Amino acid sequence: MFVNTRIGILGGGQLGKMLLQAASRWDLNTWVMDKEFDFPAGKVTNQFIKGDFTDEELVYQLGKHVDIVTIEIENVNTSALHKLEEEGKEIYPQPSIIDTIKDKGLQKEFYRSHDLPTSDFKLYEDAQAIRKAVEEGSLTIPFVQKARTEGYDGRGVHIVRVEDDLEKLLDVKSVVEHMVPIDREIAVIGAKNPSGDIAIYPPVEMRFHPTANLVEELISPAGITPDQLSTINGLAHDVLKSFDIVGLLAIELFIAKDGSILINEVAPRPHNSGHHSIEGNMTSQYEQHLRAILDLPLGNTAITSPAVMINILGEPGYSGEAYYEGLETCLAMDNVHIHLYGKSHTKPFRKMGHVTILAEDVESARQKAREVRKTLKCKC
Ligand code: ADP
């Protein structure tokens, strides 16, 4: 029976922790690999294997000890995962999908070759090649440069608006994208199991911090028209089927000022844009990921309440042992759900936790979220 399944999870951050909290409800047997035991997932797993998930031998050995391997981060050693898959181990998401997604260049080529809508792009070897293309006139400013690998939370993204911005180009293999006049940023999470069932969550709107490039406010459900909703649902189905993924796929989209809907990027795992689903949807994204990889019936994705999710970020100017100011005041507020990830040290803008606020309507939830943001601070 599935409850005895040993699940290996590469990555022990907060996404891993919340995945384990869902796994614990069904008493699944979980094995996590990451560098330090005191990472968020360390305290809530059955087994913690201290090790580097980019190391081929260590990942292979973990795979040998479990029945299924999954991830909470893309930057893992996929050579080991390919080898395990060839030997018959269930690896979800499939290693070839992780390879495509963790290289933003391959990811964009995937959309192009599958006729999925995304902004126009070109690939370049380094900063010099980009400058040369600008000089020759084959590339025009403005544009968005993205490191092909290892970027996250906006690190690895450089927006070139004027010629002076060329000085700060990242000197790495890059995707250079057409700069989309963005009206709104939307995320939609879908899940697929090996039997081929698909479930799509109601889309959310993401509003970003102007400088930190982290989601400042996530609004569920997104205020979109029925037409936009149906386009996004159709698109999510197409993307899940094109990848033929097993597990969760979080899809970040742009609604452009001209109304077109474009895929920005995807993540094959639980995602920041689905935190609210723990309290705000019938089935959390974490439980849904487990259902999908275990080939169980997928859960109902409907919202139970309008919700706003805000991240608790390390307060600028404070680095050291974390202390939460205003915690009790926020706990006294109705329908305010606080999640602390258990990171002992804070630094500016580090993701230390999140809060989901439920309310009768989105505007009331946003109002309360503003109060929480003013009150709850992570300092030291
Ligand atoms: P990361 O993976 O680091 O989060 P993203 O690819 O999501 O990087 O880009 C970060 C942000 O940069 C996006 O949320 C969006 O606001 C902006 N951005 C990314 N690509 C484009 C684009 N082609 N046009 C305009 N803005 C973009």
Side-chain angles (χ1 to χ4, degrees):
M1 202 176 64
F2 77 90
V3 288
N4 297 321
T5 311
R6 283 163 302 180
I7 303 183
I9 301 169
L10 298 174
Q14 60 266 20
L15 296 168
K17 179 177 184 184
M18 290 182 269
L19 188 60
L20 291 155
Q21 287 169 331
S24 164
R25 287 173 57 189
W26 293 340
D27 206 28
L28 299 172
N29 187 345
T30 52
W31 299 49
V32 168
M33 175 177 283
D34 210 329
K35 281 195 194 123
E36 299 295 340
F37 179 73
D38 71 353
F39 283 5
K43 296 165 198 150
V44 287
T45 183
N46 297 91
Q47 306 281 340
F48 186 88
I49 293 69
K50 190 170 145 84
D52 182 348
F53 49 64
T54 63
D55 183 284
E56 182 168 349
E57 185 54 27
L58 289 178
V59 172
Y60 182 72
Q61 285 308 327
L62 171 71
K64 287 303 229 185
H65 283 92
V66 297
D67 302 306
I68 272 193
V69 181
T70 192
I71 59 167
E72 61 109 52
I73 183 167
E74 290 92 307
N75 189 27
V76 298
N77 184 287
T78 50
S79 307
L81 296 181
H82 280 286
K83 203 155 119 195
L84 289 160
E85 189 181 49
E86 277 158 26
E87 290 168 11
K89 192 73 67 182
E90 288 178 87
I91 315 289
Y92 299 132
Q94 302 91 318
S96 62
I97 299 176
I98 305 174
D99 284 336
T100 303
I101 291 175
K102 74 179 183 179
D103 178 335
K104 290 190 179 194
L106 296 180
Q107 201 186 130
K108 290 288 275 186
E109 283 179 334
F110 182 89
Y111 303 138
R112 187 177 270 167
S113 64
H114 287 79
D115 271 335
L116 295 165
T118 193
S119 61
D120 244 357
F121 69 96
K122 283 189 187 142
L123 305 181
Y124 294 93
E125 275 306 302
D126 50 25
Q128 179 57 26
I130 298 174
R131 274 192 209 101
K132 190 158 168 264
V134 173
E135 277 161 27
E136 289 171 356
S138 58
L139 177 64
T140 45
I141 295 171
F143 59 79
V144 179
Q145 180 200 15
K146 296 184 183 177
R148 285 183 63 163
T149 55
E150 284 169 37
Y152 66 98
D153 289 345
R155 272 164 267 195
V157 175
H158 177 57
I159 301 190
V160 177
R161 291 193 176 81
V162 292
E163 214 157 299
D164 279 357
D165 294 332
L166 289 173
E167 283 164 29
K168 292 202 196 110
L169 282 174
L170 312 162
D171 195 17
V172 289
K173 286 191 182 198
S174 305
V175 188
V176 168
E177 298 182 10
H178 168 71
M179 180 129 135
V180 178
I182 299 173
D183 180 27
R184 280 192 287 167
E185 300 202 33
I186 302 289
V188 58
I189 294 178
K192 188 167 136 317
N193 64 17
S195 301
D197 305 326
I198 287 181
I200 310 287
Y201 281 84
V204 299
E205 178 169 353
M206 298 178 291
R207 301 211 174 157
F208 286 85
H209 187 281
T211 51
N213 220 331
L214 290 164
V215 171
E216 185 162 69
E217 192 183 39
L218 184 139
I219 301 166
S220 170
I224 50 177
T225 65
D227 277 356
Q228 287 171 326
L229 178 60
S230 117
T231 306
I232 291 171
N233 267 329
L235 189 54
H237 272 94
D238 291 347
V239 179
L240 283 155
K241 283 191 200 142
S242 301
F243 277 109
D244 197 20
I245 190 169
V246 169
L248 283 187
L249 191 70
I251 308 167
E252 294 184 30
L253 303 163
F254 298 141
I255 301 186
K257 295 227 162 87
D258 67 1
S260 55
I261 295 177
L262 301 169
I263 301 168
N264 174 30
E265 60 172 358
V266 300
R269 52 168 171 79
H271 192 250
N272 198 253
S273 63
H275 286 344
H276 68 288
S277 62
I278 298 175
E279 293 90 4
N281 294 70
M282 300 291 281
T283 309
S284 81
Q285 64 163 346
Y286 303 98
E287 178 177 320
Q288 193 78 306
H289 185 64
L290 296 169
R291 285 173 176 255
I293 66 174
L294 292 165
D295 204 12
L296 297 170
L298 297 178
N300 183 348
T301 57
I303 66 165
T304 52
S305 161
V308 164
M309 189 285 297
I310 56 174
N311 286 306
I312 306 173
L313 302 178
E315 197 67 10
Y318 295 86
S319 291
E321 202 168 323
Y323 162 77
Y324 298 90
E325 191 182 284
L327 203 51
E328 286 82 356
T329 311
C330 291
L331 284 170
M333 298 178 188
D334 250 1
N335 283 329
V336 169
H337 302 274
I338 299 177
H339 295 251
L340 301 179
Y341 300 150
K343 299 177 184 176
S344 53
H345 278 69
T346 182
K347 55 186 178 194
F349 300 114
R350 185 170 194 205
K351 283 182 187 161
M352 302 300 289
H354 76 262
V355 186
T356 298
I357 297 106
L358 306 180
E360 271 162 33
D361 55 70
V362 159
E363 271 320 307
S364 317
R366 293 187 68 198
Q367 177 68 33
K368 201 177 259 186
R370 280 193 281 272
E371 274 175 57
V372 172
R373 192 181 295 112
K374 265 191 264 159
T375 311
L376 184 56
K377 305 273 178 199
C378 180
K379 297 182 174 172
C380 57

